[in-house]
């Protein structure tokens, strides 16, 4: 009898907590899952481009693309090259918007139809101008590749790549100027993910971090060290504001956990007292 009573008490205290967490987890993890990979794969482009008839040097393009961040985000062959993925005979017809392989200096506009903010900064930059006027600047593919494009990071800037055309000095200065903010954003992201793993979702902060990151990331493409340095403080302040809220949540979480342990102990104590009293009463 008394065991039953204390078990019921403990369950009553802890059940709502688990029920809420479970439902939230289910909704977030399961219902929001993107069901897009299948769509990306049904495409006559891929069917034909992986067939034995395809030239060997072109045949591994779909495999390369499958490793990319674009693939994970459902950006397929025709999103970049145009054409009709559902109609084999007209797939590469210009009537269906096929643009084929972009020329070296056409690449920025080709990618920039989706990456608009980056295109704008790139075009005004030393690289953009060098490409437009003398054809000597790097295009997007020079730094990101074309089919196996990965999430961007400062690792893209390294000596062998940047010294193809000039000394590494200015490239290194840019990398250093970007490092502090990148580092801050990385740590903040880890904190938010760690909170999420504990069932706390900071959606507002996550969105704000995402916006800040997207804005900051376009900055590199200006390749203007002074401009980047001038903006560093502004970004730093924005990130500190998010960081303060995240830190508060960590503290609150510890408090809440201690508080529920405290409550649990009280209820267990009460259960023990009740069972002792009821035993006495029976005697
Ligand atoms: C029926 C087969 C077939 C289909 C379907 C097909 N392709 Fe192709 N594709 C080819 C062949 C063959 C080539 C030419 C290879 C060569 O001769 O260089 C080619 C070449 C290309 C090129 C390079 C063109 C250039 O300008 O150099 C691109 C880009 C391309 N395909 C994209 C696509 C996209 C996007 C789709 C789907 C909308 C698609 N292909 C559908 C067979 C196909
Ligand atoms: C993110 C945009 C993007 C996507 C997605 C993409 N491509 Fe491309 N593709 C390019 C670019 C840019 C080039 C030009 C590459 C260069 O300049 O080196 C290119 C070049 C090509 C070429 C010509 C290669 C050569 O060496 O002549 C073929 C063929 C091709 N793509 C097929 C495909 C197929 C098939 C898919 C889907 C599996 C695909 N592409 C997906 C951007 C893309
Ligand atoms: C000289 C090398 C270089 C060139 C050219 C270049 N990029 Fe980048 N790109 C980078 C680097 C480095 C980063 C990472 C910057 C950072 O971490 O702050 C980046 C980041 C990005 C991102 C990620 C932004 C984000 O929100 O995370 C995208 C998208 C991108 N570039 C697209 C492009 C496009 C489109 C072009 C052509 C118009 C282009 N890049 C040209 C080096 C380059
Ligand atoms: C049809 C639209 C479209 C085109 C064209 C396109 N992209 Fe993207 N790109 C996306 C989307 C969507 C994502 C995923 C969302 C994100 O991460 O920003 C992405 C992501 C990226 C990223 C990783 C961003 C990150 O978060 O680090 C890079 C780098 C990138 N693209 C470069 C390119 C380059 C280079 C080209 C041209 C060869 C190109 N993109 C063409 C839509 C496009
Ligand atoms: C395909 C050739 C090429 C590659 C690769 C290249 N650059 Fe450049 N870069 C240029 C040209 C051309 C200029 C403009 C002429 C100049 O100032 O030397 C330039 C200028 C610059 C400048 C000075 C811009 C200014 O406004 O003063 C910086 C910074 C820079 N590049 C950074 C980088 C970084 C970082 C990388 C590697 C991720 C890189 N570059 C790779 C061609 C290239």
């Amino acid at each position: 009898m008394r065991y039953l009573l204390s078990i019921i008490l403990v369950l009553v205290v802890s059940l709502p907590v688990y029920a809420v967490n479970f439902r939230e987890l289910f909704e977030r993890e399961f219902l929001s899952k993107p069901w897009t990979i299948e769509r990306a794969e049904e495409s006559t482009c891929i069917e034909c481009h992986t067939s034995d008839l395809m030239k060997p040097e072109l045949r591994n393009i779909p495999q390369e693309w499958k490793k990319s961040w674009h693939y994970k985000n459902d950006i397929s062959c025709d999103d970049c090259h145009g054409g009709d993925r559902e109609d084999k005979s007209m797939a590469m017809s210009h009537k269906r918007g096929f643009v084929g392989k972009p020329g070296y200096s056409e690449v920025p506009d080709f990618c920039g139809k989706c990456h608009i903010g980056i295109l704008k900064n790139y075009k005004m930059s030393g690289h953009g101008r060098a490409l437009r006027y003398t054809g000597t600047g790097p295009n997007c593919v020079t730094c990101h590749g074309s089919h196996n494009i990965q999430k961007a990071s400062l690792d893209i800037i390294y000596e062998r790549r940047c010294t193809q055309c000039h000394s590494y000095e200015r490239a290194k200065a840019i990398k250093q100027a970007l490092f502090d903010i990148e580092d801050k954003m990385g740590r903040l992201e880890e904190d938010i993910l760690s909170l999420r793993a504990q069932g706390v979702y900071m959606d507002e902060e996550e969105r704000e971090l995402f916006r800040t990151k997207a804005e900051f990331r376009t900055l590199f493409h200006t390749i203007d060290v002074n401009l980047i340095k001038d903006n560093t403080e502004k970004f730093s302040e924005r990130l500190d504001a998010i960081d303060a809220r995240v830190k508060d949540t960590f503290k609150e979480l510890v408090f809440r956990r201690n508080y529920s342990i405290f409550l649990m102990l009280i209820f267990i104590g009460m259960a023990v007292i009740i069972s002792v009293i009821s035993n006495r009463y029976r005697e």
Side-chain angles (χ1 to χ4, degrees), residues 92-106:
M92 295 202 295
S93 160
H94 293 285
K95 286 190 196 127
R96 300 279 167 89
F98 185 68
V99 292
K101 177 186 172 180
Y104 186 82
S105 58
E106 290 164 353

Side-chain angles (χ1 to χ4, degrees), residues 259-270:
Y259 188 67
S260 50
I261 291 174
F262 173 70
L263 273 187
M264 198 91 92
L265 287 176
I266 287 197
F267 277 108
I268 292 173
M270 273 167 58

Side-chain angles (χ1 to χ4, degrees), residues 107-109 111-112 115 118-120 122-123 127 138-144 151-157 161-162 178 182 185 210 213-221 223:
V107 167
D109 284 317
C111 306
H115 300 290
I118 288 175
L119 177 66
K120 198 169 135 241
Y122 168 85
K123 278 198 161 165
H127 281 162
N139 68 18
C140 321
V141 168
T142 313
C143 296
H144 292 288
K151 262 176 97 82
S153 77
L154 292 183
D155 297 343
I156 293 173
I157 308 170
R161 174 176 283 145
C162 305
L178 293 167
E182 277 291 332
M185 293 192 299
F210 185 80
K213 198 158 136 187
E215 260 182 66
F216 181 73
R217 287 281 181 83
T218 63
L219 216 52
F220 166 79
H221 299 88
I223 55 163

Side-chain angles (χ1 to χ4, degrees), residues 44-109:
T44 57
C45 316
I46 293 162
E47 210 178 299
C48 193
H49 275 260
T50 47
S51 70
D52 296 340
L53 295 170
M54 188 51 59
K55 282 184 183 168
E57 68 267 28
L58 300 181
R59 206 179 295 150
N60 65 347
I61 288 177
Q63 270 165 29
E64 288 295 305
W65 164 75
K66 274 201 172 182
K67 291 185 255 171
S68 74
W69 185 242
H70 280 131
Y71 170 78
K72 294 199 182 75
N73 283 277
D74 200 25
I75 301 296
S76 190
C77 320
D78 53 320
D79 292 314
C80 281
H81 290 290
D84 190 338
R85 66 157 80 189
E86 279 163 13
D87 182 347
K88 216 173 264 182
S89 60
M90 294 290 281
M92 295 202 295
S93 160
H94 293 285
K95 286 190 196 127
R96 300 279 167 89
F98 185 68
V99 292
K101 177 186 172 180
Y104 186 82
S105 58
E106 290 164 353
V107 167
D109 284 317

Side-chain angles (χ1 to χ4, degrees), residues 3-257:
Y3 288 121
L4 196 65
L5 201 64
S6 33
I7 286 172
I8 287 174
L9 268 172
V10 170
L11 279 182
V12 165
V13 176
S14 53
L15 249 185
V17 178
Y18 284 114
V20 165
N21 276 352
F22 178 73
R23 206 176 67 208
E24 272 189 10
L25 271 178
F26 180 81
E27 277 173 6
R28 279 165 204 271
E29 294 305 320
F30 186 77
L31 296 181
S32 66
K33 218 175 217 156
W35 303 104
T36 49
I37 303 294
E38 282 166 46
R39 192 190 81 88
E41 279 178 43
E42 7 168 293
S43 150
T44 57
C45 316
I46 293 162
E47 210 178 299
C48 193
H49 275 260
T50 47
S51 70
D52 296 340
L53 295 170
M54 188 51 59
K55 282 184 183 168
E57 68 267 28
L58 300 181
R59 206 179 295 150
N60 65 347
I61 288 177
Q63 270 165 29
E64 288 295 305
W65 164 75
K66 274 201 172 182
K67 291 185 255 171
S68 74
W69 185 242
H70 280 131
Y71 170 78
K72 294 199 182 75
N73 283 277
D74 200 25
I75 301 296
S76 190
C77 320
D78 53 320
D79 292 314
C80 281
H81 290 290
D84 190 338
R85 66 157 80 189
E86 279 163 13
D87 182 347
K88 216 173 264 182
S89 60
M90 294 290 281
M92 295 202 295
S93 160
H94 293 285
K95 286 190 196 127
R96 300 279 167 89
F98 185 68
V99 292
K101 177 186 172 180
Y104 186 82
S105 58
E106 290 164 353
V107 167
D109 284 317
F110 180 90
C111 306
K113 67 180 184 223
C114 299
H115 300 290
I116 298 162
I118 288 175
L119 177 66
K120 198 169 135 241
N121 282 352
Y122 168 85
K123 278 198 161 165
M124 290 187 302
S125 74
H127 281 162
R129 285 192 311 257
L131 182 73
R132 192 159 63 241
Y133 298 124
T134 57
T136 51
N139 68 18
C140 321
V141 168
T142 313
C143 296
H144 292 288
S146 51
H147 295 113
N148 184 5
I149 291 178
Q150 294 304 321
K151 262 176 97 82
S153 77
L154 292 183
D155 297 343
I156 293 173
I157 308 170
Y158 61 90
E159 191 155 359
R160 196 159 47 84
R161 174 176 283 145
C162 305
T163 54
Q164 283 170 47
C165 311
H166 48 65
S167 77
Y168 191 54
E169 246 166 274
R170 283 177 300 177
K172 205 164 133 196
I174 293 234
K175 191 167 180 169
Q176 272 160 356
L178 293 167
F179 181 79
D180 287 341
I181 300 285
E182 277 291 332
D183 192 45
K184 225 175 212 175
M185 293 192 299
R187 273 183 289 135
L188 202 47
E189 194 166 347
E190 269 173 31
D191 282 350
I192 290 177
L193 286 180
S194 139
L195 279 173
R196 184 193 295 201
Q198 300 176 61
V200 181
Y201 295 92
M202 302 203 64
D203 291 343
E204 179 64 36
E205 284 71 18
E206 204 171 339
R207 270 196 298 275
E208 175 63 16
L209 175 61
F210 185 80
R211 270 196 298 272
T212 311
K213 198 158 136 187
E215 260 182 66
F216 181 73
R217 287 281 181 83
T218 63
L219 216 52
F220 166 79
H221 299 88
T222 65
I223 55 163
D224 182 340
V225 183
N226 294 328
L227 184 81
I228 292 171
K229 283 186 176 153
D230 288 348
N231 274 283
T232 300
E233 201 172 328
K234 185 184 89 187
F235 281 102
S236 192
E237 276 167 16
R238 276 170 68 174
L239 291 172
D240 286 345
I242 308 174
D243 195 37
R245 278 178 276 158
V246 169
K247 290 256 155 60
D248 281 348
T249 307
F250 265 117
K251 277 189 213 143
E252 200 186 310
L253 197 66
V254 172
F255 174 75
R256 252 197 291 170
R257 190 165 297 142

